[in-house]
């Protein structure tokens, strides 16, 4: 019973609860048992089993009374970047190891208002800075998948939302919250064979979400199916008067309106995203093209000439905003404090001890590009290029409805074969950063398996507020790819 309950999708579990096939407490207990079994994956920083069982009991009462919410009784997990009232929130950093927020983030409050059950707080790259989940102060997260040719090798899950994708892929949560600053939802989703969407900037509130780069950060869900992601998005999204960047728009019922009918949809293929692709990724992209054309979509070659400048632009703007956002961690108001003989020494000791090497690196880069003499040369120029990147997309979306690209350049790589230099690691986000720079929505869908048996994903990018179109196109891809069937056939063959 335990295993079968954790194998359910979010929407299937919701239907099972409504049909009284099992209780919220049984569903929650099943997930808590799997969490205990798979602690070696290190997906959770903080488990909240007592709170989860208490919430599940309350959900059962509401289900019995017929007053249930959209996510009533469904066990989910929260990336440790979202403040949760009374529950430790670390952002994967030693500097916030003892931080217990006195308030709830808007996104998580929306989930609890809908009846969701919180299993715990998920591991992540420190302050969301990373693409392999190797930068957490609480140790690396392990990918639940293993290579067929080297099953003993431990793989990265991607990052920074590595705990989120590992929990969902490892059946330790039905779905999870995540955040995406340059690909931190979509890239790990592709590495772990799950669905991840980065919504339009401002669709989900940033209030109570610990900031990395404020103009790029966006909350979004990780789930096992496109329908699950649609349900999570419509609950997480809302206008928030406490967030000045929050969009004041009506949130559609994405799940009720979802359809895989893409006849007449114009799919754009940016030539810049097809250059220097591996043979495996080229083959996967061609399969995606074939599936969508068979479903009635039309394919159009397009160009986004500023895309090659996206990665350097991102790695000027994001560290600059990070250096500003992280200045408040000084040992005075909350979090870690390492004493010193003077105020300046206390600042230095606290930040040196509290921040990991990747966070320190990005703060230094950000401070440098914002400093006198370099602001115009780097930061101002990067902002101008960002505008040109956004204009590229605006022009292309007058010709096509959706863009189809790979999500990542490779499959998940072994932890012991990680790139030594940070620049090579940054290249993991080469296909995803443009979406954040242009404030657009993007979704990654698992559609294939590599020759070593690891998941591979394709990305769909749409104009602002085109989430429904992305869910519909993703559903068409999901139905054509039959990813779960591919996995079952692989295991049969093995």
């Amino acid at each position: 019973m335990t295993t079968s309950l954790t194998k359910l999708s979010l929407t299937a579990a919701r239907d099972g609860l409504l049909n009284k096939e099992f209780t919220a407490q049984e569903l929650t207990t099943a997930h808590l048992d799997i969490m205990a079994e798979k602690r070696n994956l290190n997906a959770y920083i903080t488990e909240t089993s007592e709170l989860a069982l208490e919430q599940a009991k309350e959900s059962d009462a509401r289900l019995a009374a017929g007053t249930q919410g959209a996510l009533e009784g469904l066990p989910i997990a929260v990336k440790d970047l979202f403040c949760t009232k009374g529950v430790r929130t670390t952002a994967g950093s030693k500097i916030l190891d003892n931080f217990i927020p006195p308030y709830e983030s808007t996104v998580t409050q929306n989930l609890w208002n809908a009846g969701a059950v919180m299993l715990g707080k998920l591991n992540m790259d420190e302050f969301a800075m990373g693409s392999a989940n190797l930068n957490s102060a609480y140790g690396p997260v392990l990918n639940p998948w293993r290579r067929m040719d080297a099953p003993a090798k431990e793989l990265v899950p991607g990052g920074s939302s590595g705990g989120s994708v590992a929990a969902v892929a490892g059946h330790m949560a039905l779905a999870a919250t995540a955040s995406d600053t340059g690909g931190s939802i979509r890239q790990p989703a592709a590495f772990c064979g799950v669905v991840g969407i980065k919504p339009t900037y401002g669709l989900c509130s940033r209030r109570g979400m610990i900031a990395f780069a404020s103009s790029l950060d966006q909350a979004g869900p990780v789930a096992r199916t496109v329908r699950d992601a649609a349900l999570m998005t419509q609950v997480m999204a809302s206008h928030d008067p406490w967030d000045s960047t929050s969009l004041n728009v009506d949130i559609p019922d994405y799940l009720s309106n979802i359809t895989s009918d893409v006849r007449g949809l114009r799919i754009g293929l940016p030539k810049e995203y097809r250059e220097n692709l591996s043979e495996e990724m080229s083959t996967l992209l061609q399969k995606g093209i074939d599936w969508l054309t068979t479903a009635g979509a039309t394919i159009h070659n397009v160009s986004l000439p500023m895309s090659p400048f996206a990665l350097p632009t991102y790695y000027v703007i994001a560290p600059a905003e990070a250096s500003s956002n992280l200045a408040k961690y000084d040992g005075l108001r909350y979090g870690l404090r390492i004493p010193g003989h003077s105020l300046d020494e206390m600042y230095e000791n606290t930040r040196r001890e509290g921040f990991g090497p990747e966070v320190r690196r990005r703060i230094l880069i950000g401070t440098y590009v914002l400093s006198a003499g370099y602001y115009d040369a780097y930061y101002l120029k990067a902002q101008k290029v960002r505008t040109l990147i956004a204009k590229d997309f605006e022009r292309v979306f007058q010709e096509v409805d959706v863009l189809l690209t790979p999500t990542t350049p490779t499959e998940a790589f072994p932890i012991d074969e990680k790139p030594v230099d940070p620049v090579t690691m940054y290249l993991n986000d080469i296909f995803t950063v443009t979406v954040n720079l242009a404030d657009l929505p993007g979704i990654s869908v698992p559609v294939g398996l590599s020759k070593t048996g690891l998941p591979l994903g394709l990305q769909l990018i749409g104009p602002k507020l085109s989430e429904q179109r992305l869910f519909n196109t993703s559903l068409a891809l999901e139905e054509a790819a039959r990813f779960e069937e591919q996995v079952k056939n692989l295991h049969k063959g093995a």
Side-chain angles (χ1 to χ4, degrees), residues 60 64 73 76 106-107 132 137 165 177 183 190 290 324-325 335 342 349 363 390 394 410 421 429 440 470 487:
D60 280 331
I76 65 166
T106 299
V107 161
V165 295
T177 70
D290 295 342
S324 175
N325 279 326
S342 67
N349 292 346
I363 289 173
E394 287 174 14
T410 66
D421 66 293
D429 299 329
L440 303 175
L470 289 184
V487 175

Side-chain angles (χ1 to χ4, degrees), residues 189-229:
F191 275 8
C192 288
V194 295
V195 178
I197 180 168
K198 179 260 168 198
T200 303
Y201 181 77
L203 195 68
C204 296
S205 171
R206 291 188 300 108
R207 179 176 179 266
M209 196 171 102
I210 296 171
F212 162 16
S214 301
S215 75
L216 300 164
D217 295 343
Q218 183 55 208
V222 170
R224 285 201 280 275
T225 71
V226 172
R227 283 187 170 87
D228 291 359

Side-chain angles (χ1 to χ4, degrees), residues 425-481:
M425 189 72 87
Y426 296 163
L427 291 172
N428 281 298
D429 299 329
I430 195 165
F431 298 134
T432 54
V433 294
T434 51
V435 173
N436 300 76
L437 290 168
D439 298 341
L440 303 175
I443 187 169
S444 179
V445 187
V447 295
L449 294 166
S450 70
K451 60 179 179 292
T452 61
L454 295 180
L456 299 171
L458 288 178
Q459 176 181 223
L460 292 161
I461 304 168
K464 292 177 184 178
L465 297 174
S466 64
E467 279 77 7
Q468 188 69 63
R469 190 186 306 167
L470 289 184
F471 286 130
N472 295 349
T473 315
S474 299
L475 185 62
L477 270 182
E478 184 179 71
E479 290 179 353

Side-chain angles (χ1 to χ4, degrees), residues 47 175 195 270 293 305 317 371 376 436:
E47 297 180 11
V195 178
T293 51
I317 293 173
S371 61
D376 289 349
N436 300 76

